Amino acid sequence: MNVVTPPEKLTPKDFATDQEVRWCPGCGDYAILKGVQKTLADIGARPENTVFVSGIGCAARFPYYVKTYGFHTIHGRAPAFATGLKLANPDLDIWVVSGDGDALSIGGNHLFHLLRRNVDLQFLLFNNEIYGLTKGQYSPTSRQGTRSPSTPWGSLDNPASATVFAIGAGARFIARGIDSNQKHLPGVLARAHAHKGTSFVEIFQNCKVYNDGVFENFTGRDVASDRQIYVEHGKPLIFGKDGEKGLRLNTQTLSLEAVVIGDNGVSEADILVHDETNKMIATLLADMEPPAMPVALGVLYCAPGQSYDEEVTDLIRSHTPAEKPDFNKLLRAGRTWTVD
Amino acid sequence: MSNTALAEKTSDPSHRETVESAVVRFAGDSGDGMQLTGGQFTLATAFAGNDLSTFPDFPAEIRAPAGTTFGVSSFQINFGSRVIKTAGDAFDMLIAMNPAALKVELHGLKQGGVIIADTGSFGERDLRKAGYDSNPLEDGSLDGYHLVALDISKLTMEAVKDTGLSKQEALRCKNMWTLGFVYWMYGRDRKPTADWLIAKFGKRPDVAAANVAAMDAGHTVAETMELPDGVHGFHVDAADIAPGTYRTVTGAEALAWGLAAGTHLADIKMVFASYPITPASQLLHSLSKMIDHNVVTFQAEDEIAAACAAIGASFGGSLGVTSSSGPGIALKTEAIGLAISTELPLIIVNSQRAGPSTGMPTKTEQSDLYQAVLGRNADSPLCVLAARAPADCFDVAIEAVRIAIKYMTPVFILTDGYIGNAAEPWNIPDINDYAKIPVNFRTDPEGFHPFLRDDDTLARVWAVPGTPGLEHRIGGIERDYDSGNISYDPDNHQKMTDTRFAKIEGIAKDIPAQGIEDGNTSGKLAVVGWGSTYGPISRAVANLRTQGLDVSHIHIRHLWPFPENLGGLLKEFEQVLVPEMNHGQLVNVLRAEYLVPAEGLNKVSGQPFKITEIEDAIRARLES
Ligand SMILES: Cc1ncc(C[n+]2csc(CCOP(=O)(O)OP(=O)(O)O)c2C)c(N)n1
Ligand code: SF4
Ligand SMILES: [Mg+2]
């Protein structure tokens, strides 16, 4: 048999490879892998047309476990590799998988340029606030005071916010999810896939070995409902166990306030309605941190624009003559002379 | 201007002195348009049927302070009725548009050579800026030369006064006035330059007219004025040149066309990714215009990104090409290792410049041979080619594309700032005379794994995303020989490392045997070169052979792997001399590979070798 016809509808299992998965037991990466495989099945991804590209890190092992095309590049450079791949074949469906160190330390420059160029692909940042693969040094997203082998007395430098960085870089799709929230993650990933341009998704991922529980302050069972807000376009920004809390825009200070509906005369009408096309709202949502504010999850921002690869394709099309140009003519353009 | 007896004056070519070749150097301030002037002189000379070679030499600063010695921009051309191999050693004529140009360039002028100087730019301030205490045009310090001192500034103003240009614009025509003057000196036709000026200043016909008027005026003055004693017009016969259609070509242009020709012959897209750096940017500029020839260019955010994007493109079934100069190549190093380990085609062009670090960006050097052959972590073999002259870049680029695709390997092309900017006439080839470059994308899933190899070449399969049934995952982690899956197995790593070496070594069987450029295949001394030392070595060897010295010239294009016969060939000579514009690199590689007693002749002044420097070194070895 020469032609492999994919079965009508692939299941998540069809996207699993025969390679032994080598993450530590309990690592959040397993859940994300599951979520991605489910998403691929949900969206009807064609394995032959899908490519997973990664840099280096625990997260970056990801491509080995997804039964599509995959390329494990070098530390931090996956965005550049993916951009070249997209230029070679704009029809490919590309996912880049990266860690917080890979994306924001060594690869910060490339991520910035990927986002501003708006290359049509999905960029997944597995943020565990630590360098997993190199055994637990603090990362650019580690909170100040993080104790690690390289910061025995706690880290000194300010952490970066991945999503605020992405907005600043000009990203046109920004979303967030949590590894363990399997109900939510595939939906976010499907939205990322549907968006044309670079879709930036930050996934909070628990590193069981070197940073276990670092997100407990908003993912813990007892606090989750008060410290997480799932945003949805066109819906009021409410959260809390019974949806009793909401976000109100303080027009004096141009900031968001967490309020309780019913308290101090706050009514539902006071709650800000999420508009995912509004960059200001996205910025305010991305900047929220617990405990004072809930962590915003879901699609924070979605404002499609022309992608770089699309523009390149258009440019090529507008310059491609109907007939294949004569190479000899190219060599003879301009000043020539003949010797007999 | 020295007031000596005036020579018989005539424009009749029969009264001109016929010379076999001549070297002219145009020198002026960065703003004086010397590169443009030289370019036009080159074209007129090519049209006159001479063979030629040029050497533009300009400062790194875009607009260095006017009138300073470090702001001097020069253009040298060697042309003749014989085969021209270099831009020439000492020059016969120096055009000095200001005192700084005279100061910087005078040492290169032959004793008794002609100086054409613009007295209008030799005011007290100009002299002081150039570091002169007194005016060299008047103080007798130029007595050993023939001085033609003219107020070119004033003459130009007069020539263009009816065109209505501002004084500043009018003065800018000085270079064309001077060009007109030099055109007369060598009997060159002005028409191509006039046509070019009219086309260039299409939107400003007044400027075009002024430039043409200035050129004509310069020509007329040369024709009618009484030139100082000993200064007269020259005639250079047309060279005996093979029939064909010609153009002048710089190394950067030939390289761009050669790369595009390679992907044209392979019938695949080129993705060229680069980050600007002198002197490599020219290639990016040239290729950016070839969008209609299946060439996509990508100006990346840095050299690392450029290399990675090129590798991504190759994974995607295009040919990834990346280009830089030493400092940028250093940044690409890790990515090149990735292309070696994933065995993808990749072309890396290094337009070498003087280093280390920023070094002297606009000055030439050949000091990145080690970097190309050896400069990576771990055992990471690849293929290295070097271009020897501007037009040679075309064929070298096609050869690089052929090897990269056939062997699924990165290939370095070494060129340098000199080759990139220098121009020579090129007998334009017919692309149909070149062999097609076969590309075999794998489509059959039967028995497929990503590290399947060709029995013969050991190249792995090229399986491109988008192909059903060939989905696979690869990367920089060592892969199993028999499946392509990740493997940390000790024996497998040994086998894979051996295979990577065997694959590159095997290329030696697929390249032409090393030939001799000039001389016998055995004897007292072989001069072995690579890259842009070709011109001076070949002229030096030819000169000394006519004087009866037993010397041969070997010039290596395939620097890694070497042609299979190279070691044996070198052993046929009692002595081996390796001139290089570095501190000794090829010489050591040859010694290490073949245990031959090769000796270096090294020059790192940022300037190409002079023929006499190589002649002296050869003589010292043969006449002692
Ligand atoms: C050029 C280079 N520098 C350093 C490393 C070592 N290194 C590998 S992964 C890594 C950090 C990974 O952290 P992150 O991106 O957060 O991924 P995680 O392991 O946490 O998933 C480092 C420093 C490397 N592989 N390459
Ligand atoms: S070190 Fe942390 S991130 Fe890496 S696999 Fe283990 S648990 Fe996961
Ligand atoms: Mg991490």
Side-chain angles (χ1 to χ4, degrees):
Chain A
M1 192 185 84
N2 268 342
V3 184
V4 174
T5 13
E8 277 297 89
K9 179 101 177 89
L10 297 174
T11 65
K13 261 178 50 201
D14 294 319
F15 289 97
T17 62
D18 59 358
Q19 296 297 291
E20 188 193 334
V21 183
R22 299 204 194 177
W23 289 311
C24 308
C27 173
D29 288 345
Y30 284 97
I32 304 175
L33 177 61
K34 226 177 108 194
V36 168
Q37 286 165 342
K38 177 174 186 319
T39 306
L40 292 173
D42 289 349
I43 62 177
R46 285 160 52 214
E48 75 274 16
N49 213 42
T50 305
V51 190
F52 277 78
V53 178
S54 65
I56 298 289
C58 295
R61 292 294 178 96
F62 203 88
Y64 291 114
Y65 311 135
V66 188
K67 207 169 161 191
T68 60
Y69 282 92
F71 207 104
H72 184 208
T73 71
I74 48 179
H75 201 17
R77 321 300 176 191
F81 180 98
T83 302
L85 177 59
K86 193 76 181 174
L87 288 174
N89 184 355
D91 296 333
L92 295 176
D93 190 1
I94 303 175
W95 300 74
V96 176
V97 176
S98 189
D100 40 311
D102 195 55
L104 295 170
S105 262
I106 194 165
N109 186 30
H110 307 306
L111 176 56
F112 169 71
H113 292 281
L114 176 79
L115 295 172
R116 92 178 158 76
R117 287 190 186 109
N118 198 28
V119 180
D120 185 21
L121 51 78
Q122 294 72 250
F123 188 97
L124 313 185
L125 194 161
F126 297 8
N127 184 4
N128 55 13
E129 296 190 3
I130 210 79
Y131 287 174
L133 193 70
T134 46
K135 301 199 189 301
Q137 301 84 354
Y138 81 116
S139 93
T141 55
S142 297
R143 287 163 229 180
Q144 217 165 22
T146 298
R147 283 177 191 273
S148 80
S150 59
T151 51
W153 297 285
S155 61
L156 304 175
D157 35 341
N158 281 316
S161 157
T163 44
V164 172
F165 169 83
I167 291 175
R172 295 182 153 276
F173 180 98
I174 294 168
R176 268 201 192 131
I178 299 175
D179 52 5
S180 54
N181 191 342
Q182 285 298 315
K183 273 217 205 74
H184 182 248
L185 191 59
V188 168
L189 295 176
R191 280 287 315 272
H193 182 262
H195 173 80
K196 259 191 133 341
T198 309
S199 307
F200 178 84
V201 184
E202 178 184 23
I203 303 168
F204 297 109
Q205 174 246 328
N206 190 43
C207 170
K208 184 86 185 154
V209 175
Y210 296 110
N211 218 9
D212 195 22
V214 70
F215 302 121
E216 279 293 304
N217 66 331
F218 67 93
T219 57
R221 251 170 227 276
D222 45 335
V223 293
S225 53
D226 285 339
R227 297 211 180 139
Q228 296 179 9
I229 179 166
Y230 285 88
V231 305
E232 265 186 82
H233 183 59
K235 301 236 171 99
L237 290 160
I238 51 172
F239 63 108
K241 202 148 139 247
D242 304 310
E244 76 286 7
K245 295 180 178 172
L247 298 176
R248 182 172 71 178
L249 181 69
N250 182 328
T251 53
Q252 294 295 304
T253 60
L254 283 182
S255 61
L256 293 177
E257 299 169 337
V259 292
V260 178
I261 298 162
D263 275 14
N264 303 320
V266 174
S267 76
E268 245 175 76
D270 295 322
I271 303 302
L272 184 66
V273 173
H274 183 42
D275 175 0
E276 67 183 22
T277 68
N278 186 317
K279 194 169 184 171
M280 238 12 259
I281 295 178
T283 309
L284 293 170
L285 291 174
D287 213 20
M288 297 192 306
E289 277 176 33
M293 301 293 281
V295 171
L297 301 159
V299 179
L300 275 50
Y301 187 49
C302 179
Q306 266 236 316
S307 69
Y308 176 65
D309 41 293
E310 209 170 41
E311 285 175 309
V312 171
T313 304
D314 288 350
L315 189 72
I316 294 169
R317 201 171 292 134
S318 70
H319 283 271
T320 305
E323 247 174 80
K324 204 172 168 188
D326 182 355
F327 200 85
N328 274 334
K329 265 204 193 126
L330 172 72
L331 300 181
R332 284 157 184 78
R335 271 274 150 86
T336 61
W337 67 95
T338 304
V339 176
D340 313 299
Chain B
M1 187 169 149
S2 48
N3 242 340
T4 40
L6 301 169
E8 250 287 293
K9 192 71 225 313
T10 175
S11 61
D12 181 349
S14 60
H15 289 93
R16 290 167 174 266
E17 182 192 348
T18 296
V19 289
E20 195 188 26
S21 68
V23 180
V24 176
R25 189 152 173 122
F26 296 90
D29 201 58
S30 296
D32 282 339
M34 289 298 98
Q35 300 308 322
L36 224 140
T37 309
Q40 285 305 305
F41 191 83
T42 303
L43 207 62
T45 298
F47 286 169
N50 296 142
D51 195 11
L52 66 90
S53 172
T54 72
F55 175 41
D57 192 7
F58 41 81
E61 292 75 15
I62 304 299
R63 284 273 181 272
T68 56
T69 48
F70 53 91
V72 171
S73 173
S74 305
F75 186 98
Q76 185 167 322
I77 176 167
N78 183 8
F79 54 103
S81 53
R82 64 169 185 188
V83 176
I84 298 297
K85 297 194 160 176
T86 74
D89 281 8
F91 20 103
D92 302 289
M93 185 181 290
L94 169 66
I95 291 89
M97 300 302 287
N98 69 3
L102 183 66
K103 180 129 206 175
V104 171
E105 302 292 3
L106 185 63
H107 70 97
L109 183 64
K110 276 184 192 155
Q111 275 304 311
V114 176
I115 300 169
I116 297 173
D118 175 18
T119 58
S121 305
F122 276 69
E124 208 158 306
R125 262 195 57 185
D126 307 306
L127 290 165
R128 228 180 310 119
K129 264 200 226 161
Y132 278 117
D133 294 330
S134 65
N135 189 343
L137 305 183
E138 291 163 355
D139 65 8
S141 59
L142 303 177
D143 282 352
Y145 306 97
H146 289 99
L147 178 63
V148 184
L150 299 158
D151 193 339
I152 295 175
S153 304
K154 193 169 137 214
L155 289 162
T156 304
M157 295 294 289
E158 278 165 15
V160 307
K161 65 174 184 294
D162 295 336
T163 55
L165 294 192
S166 68
K167 183 173 177 215
Q168 217 191 353
E169 280 182 315
L171 268 180
R172 259 195 236 126
C173 302
K174 257 189 336 191
N175 61 334
M176 286 300 125
W177 194 99
T178 312
L179 182 63
F181 193 95
V182 183
Y183 273 171
W184 183 85
M185 295 293 297
Y186 287 99
R188 308 273 93 131
D189 185 9
R190 278 163 291 158
K191 181 144 190 324
T193 299
D195 292 347
W196 175 80
L197 285 166
I198 288 161
K200 179 178 161 73
F201 295 110
K203 290 211 184 76
R204 287 287 311 271
D206 52 338
V207 175
N211 275 288
V212 174
M215 176 173 67
D216 289 345
H219 192 270
T220 308
V221 168
E223 190 170 21
T224 55
M225 93 180 266
E226 294 165 338
L227 290 168
D229 194 14
V231 180
H232 46 257
F234 297 96
H235 174 75
V236 186
D237 277 326
D240 190 11
I241 291 174
T245 303
Y246 283 79
R247 69 179 308 145
T248 60
V249 71
T250 64
E253 287 165 345
L255 196 51
W257 286 325
L259 289 167
T263 48
H264 171 86
L265 293 166
D267 199 19
I268 56 172
K269 175 152 87 182
M270 183 199 321
V271 175
F272 180 89
S274 182
Y275 184 77
I277 184 169
T278 301
S281 306
Q282 202 52 49
L283 191 56
L284 170 63
H285 303 169
S286 296
L287 285 165
S288 294
K289 292 181 212 133
M290 293 188 202
I291 192 167
D292 53 336
H293 284 272
N294 213 8
V295 175
V296 178
T297 56
F298 173 55
Q299 182 176 312
E301 56 269 27
D302 61 22
E303 287 87 350
I304 301 174
C308 291
I311 297 167
S314 287
F315 180 60
S318 294
L319 180 67
V321 182
T322 188
S323 152
S324 189
S325 186
I329 300 293
L331 289 175
K332 295 177 196 292
T333 305
E334 188 195 7
I336 294 168
L338 178 68
I340 291 170
S341 89
T342 53
E343 302 190 37
L344 282 167
L346 172 71
I347 291 178
I348 312 121
V349 181
N350 183 350
S351 298
Q352 299 165 98
R353 67 186 214 187
S357 188
T358 304
M360 303 194 289
T362 58
K363 304 298 174 197
T364 198
E365 211 163 274
Q366 311 180 279
S367 41
D368 298 344
L369 180 124
Y370 279 168
Q371 187 191 33
V373 175
L374 308 166
R376 284 166 297 285
N377 56 305
D379 290 313
S380 40
L382 46 62
C383 176
V384 183
L385 307 179
R388 60 174 58 171
D392 186 49
C393 289
F394 187 78
D395 286 346
V396 167
I398 293 176
E399 173 72 344
V401 174
R402 178 186 78 87
I403 293 175
I405 291 175
K406 183 167 177 184
Y407 292 87
M408 294 290 280
T409 177
V411 178
F412 255 104
I413 298 176
L414 295 179
T415 171
D416 62 39
Y418 174 72
I419 294 177
N421 289 316
E424 63 181 359
W426 183 38
N427 190 351
I428 310 170
D430 184 341
I431 190 70
N432 301 312
D433 292 342
Y434 286 83
K436 294 252 180 264
I437 297 172
V439 174
N440 299 309
F441 291 127
R442 172 87 180 200
T443 52
D444 185 3
E446 196 65 40
F448 169 79
H449 75 78
F451 273 75
L452 276 178
R453 292 177 189 280
D454 183 277
D455 292 339
D456 209 29
T457 63
L458 297 179
R460 78 169 186 96
V461 287
W462 200 356
V464 171
T467 317
L470 302 189
E471 295 83 4
H472 64 274
R473 281 100 1 225
I474 55 172
I477 298 184
E478 185 64 282
R479 297 132 310 261
D480 181 68
Y481 187 93
D482 295 310
S483 70
N485 289 328
I486 291 182
S487 167
Y488 292 95
D489 180 75
D491 293 341
N492 179 69
H493 181 54
Q494 179 78 50
K495 187 172 182 183
M496 287 295 275
T497 302
D498 293 345
T499 305
R500 286 188 284 266
F501 270 87
K503 179 176 88 167
I504 298 301
E505 280 158 13
I507 297 171
K509 289 183 283 195
D510 189 24
I511 60 178
Q514 182 63 51
I516 301 270
E517 297 300 323
D518 192 3
N520 303 321
T521 52
S522 64
K524 288 219 172 82
L525 175 67
V527 183
V528 181
W530 65 280
S532 70
T533 52
Y534 177 78
I537 296 175
S538 63
R539 176 59 71 201
V541 168
N543 287 349
L544 296 182
R545 287 187 56 76
T546 56
Q547 292 169 28
L549 266 60
D550 179 9
V551 55
S552 299
H553 176 196
I554 293 170
H555 215 77
I556 305 176
R557 170 185 278 182
H558 292 85
L559 286 170
W560 201 266
F562 288 127
E564 284 189 305
N565 66 327
L566 181 63
L569 188 60
L570 294 180
K571 288 181 178 145
E572 296 294 323
F573 293 89
E574 287 167 28
Q575 299 183 67
V576 175
L577 178 68
V578 186
E580 292 177 89
M581 294 187 290
N582 59 38
H583 209 263
Q585 298 193 5
L586 177 65
V587 65
N588 289 331
V589 178
L590 292 175
R591 290 171 68 101
E593 280 296 298
Y594 302 122
L595 297 173
V596 288
E599 274 186 280
L601 172 65
N602 304 100
K603 176 175 181 179
V604 279
S605 63
Q607 300 291 324
F609 272 104
K610 292 197 183 308
I611 295 161
T612 50
E613 291 167 339
I614 294 173
E615 285 177 351
D616 291 348
I618 296 171
R619 276 216 185 84
R621 279 158 186 81
L622 292 182
E623 291 176 350
S624 55

